[in-house]
């Protein structure tokens, strides 16, 4: 199982949990192979060009295979044609958090404040092209508000300035954002997924709060090289579904603030295509320069 980020990060921890759980069902060890670099595309390219025999699988993420095809111009592989979807694994919600200085207790109040003060509110992100950036641009587009983007070199620096009041708000992954809301440093406005988070079921979704259809997640799923026989893809997909009954695995995923998910290969393929199309539109509308 090729993981496109370094060992020890959240993607790596999730992948190792999946590998351990799938090993039980497949009857053989699933070994994690970390191949970081180039926004995840080094590892993805390696799988895209691997022998399509089912023994090399990719632990893919939304950053690499949802945002990546929309943002990178000269990839050395074609994600849509060189990789075959196996199944969805996880959805990590983002949480819209607002500094208390903004004086908005809910989405309706936030939108009124933003519309009455165009260009004065700011939203932080972990960097140009990050999921926190593009989720913010999508929020601006769907809410029809003028909010200034302030990019940082990583989420940690962005959160620090958000807490200090230098920026107004941020769409951050729920494990990082929720503690700030629960200790009173931030106000939680809503989660970005269509369903409420298992980690914080008391927090409404943005769709519930007034943005129907808003559904953004930092998702993960499995892919194999294109040309892998359908029988092998179906066997791997069955394993991704069976691990949902592994209580140890599900409990671990939930402690990380992530929701487990499942799909057929066909459903996952449609999900990824829709994700790429959405981020392509957001990137074009926001005038974000493509990465060469």
């Amino acid at each position: 199982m090729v993981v496109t980020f370094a060992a020890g990060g959240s993607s790596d921890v999730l992948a190792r949990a999946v590998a351990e759980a799938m090993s039980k069902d497949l009857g053989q060890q699933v070994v994690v192979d970390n191949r970081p670099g180039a926004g995840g595309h080094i590892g993805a390219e390696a799988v895209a060009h691997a022998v399509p025999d089912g023994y090399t699988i990719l632990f893919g993420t939304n950053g690499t295979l949802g945002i990546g095809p929309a943002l990178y111009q000269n990839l050395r592989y074609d994600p849509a044609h060189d990789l075959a979807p196996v199944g969805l694994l996880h959805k990590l919600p983002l949480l819209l958090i607002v500094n208390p200085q903004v004086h908005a207790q809910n989405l309706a109040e936030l939108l009124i404040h933003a519309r009455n003060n165009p260009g004065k509110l700011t939203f932080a992100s972990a960097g140009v092209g990050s999921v926190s950036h593009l989720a913010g641009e999508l929020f601006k587009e769907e809410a029809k508000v003028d909010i200034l983007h302030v990019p940082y070199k990583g989420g940690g620096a962005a959160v620090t300035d958000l807490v200090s009041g230098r920026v107004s708000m941020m769409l951050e992954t729920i494990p990082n954002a929720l503690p700030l809301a629960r200790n009173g440093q931030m106000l939680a406005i809503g989660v970005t997924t269509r369903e409420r988070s298992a980690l914080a079921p008391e927090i409404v979704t943005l769709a519930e709060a007034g943005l129907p259809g808003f559904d953004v997640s930092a998702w993960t799923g499995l892919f194999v090289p294109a040309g892998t026989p359908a029988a092998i893809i179906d066997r791997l997909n069955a394993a991704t579904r069976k691990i949902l009954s592994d209580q140890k695995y599900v409990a671990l995923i939930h402690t990380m603030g992530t929701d487990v998910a499942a799909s057929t290969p066909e459903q996952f393929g449609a999900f990824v295509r829709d994700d790429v199309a959405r981020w392509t539109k957001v990137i074009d509308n926001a005038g974000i320069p493509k990465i060469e």
Side-chain angles (χ1 to χ4, degrees):
M1 180 183 290
V2 174
V3 177
T4 60
F5 298 96
S10 58
S11 292
D12 178 66
V13 174
L14 286 171
R16 290 179 187 276
V18 171
E20 180 181 353
M22 285 184 64
S23 293
K24 300 174 187 176
D25 181 59
L26 295 173
Q28 64 182 61
Q29 186 177 9
V30 178
V31 179
V32 169
D33 179 7
N34 297 95
R35 299 196 189 185
H41 293 293
I42 289 176
E45 180 187 353
V47 175
H49 296 158
V51 178
D53 57 5
Y55 286 94
T56 303
I57 56 180
L58 173 67
F59 184 84
T61 68
N62 69 300
T64 302
L65 295 170
I67 295 172
L71 189 61
Y72 286 80
Q73 282 188 319
N74 300 311
L75 294 176
R76 293 186 294 182
Y77 70 105
D78 185 341
H81 296 96
D82 295 340
L83 292 169
V86 172
L88 187 64
L89 289 170
H90 310 114
K91 284 187 173 183
L92 174 60
L94 307 183
L95 177 61
L96 175 56
I97 48 177
V98 175
N99 188 284
Q101 296 175 17
V102 176
H103 302 298
Q105 297 293 322
N106 52 51
L107 180 63
E109 292 181 5
L110 177 62
L111 296 185
I112 290 171
H113 185 62
R115 288 165 184 160
N116 289 339
N117 299 275
K120 293 184 179 179
L121 294 181
T122 54
F123 78 93
S125 80
V128 174
S130 65
V131 65
S132 54
H133 173 206
L134 298 187
E137 295 291 351
L138 181 62
F139 175 80
K140 288 171 54 179
E141 187 176 301
E142 297 205 359
K144 297 178 174 57
V145 292
D146 179 10
I147 302 172
L148 179 65
H149 173 226
V150 182
Y152 288 81
K153 293 181 179 179
V159 168
T160 297
D161 272 10
L162 179 62
V163 170
S164 71
R166 291 189 179 91
V167 285
S168 308
M169 67 188 75
M170 184 176 183
L171 285 148
E172 174 62 306
T173 55
I174 200 164
N176 295 332
L178 188 60
L180 298 173
R182 287 184 168 164
N183 68 19
Q185 290 178 286
M186 291 290 119
L187 297 173
I189 300 298
V191 296
T192 60
T193 43
R194 193 178 302 277
E195 303 81 19
R196 294 193 184 194
S197 167
L199 191 64
E202 75 280 6
I203 300 177
V204 300
T205 68
L206 292 179
E208 289 177 303
L211 292 178
F214 198 97
D215 185 15
V216 173
S217 64
W219 55 262
T220 71
L222 293 187
F223 298 80
V224 290
T228 300
I232 293 176
I233 292 176
D234 289 342
R235 178 68 184 92
L236 292 171
N237 177 265
T240 68
R241 291 169 169 274
K242 189 165 184 179
I243 61 177
L244 294 179
S245 62
D246 185 328
Q247 294 183 355
K248 177 184 174 183
Y249 163 76
V250 173
L252 174 61
I253 300 307
H254 284 169
T255 62
M256 298 177 66
T258 301
D259 297 326
V260 294
S263 71
T264 65
E266 294 76 19
Q267 289 169 336
F268 187 38
F271 175 86
V272 174
R273 288 191 295 273
D274 289 346
D275 207 45
V276 173
R278 171 175 51 183
W279 296 130
T280 299
K281 180 181 176 183
V282 169
I283 288 168
D284 290 344
N285 289 348
I288 300 169
K290 301 293 181 71
I291 298 173
E292 295 189 8

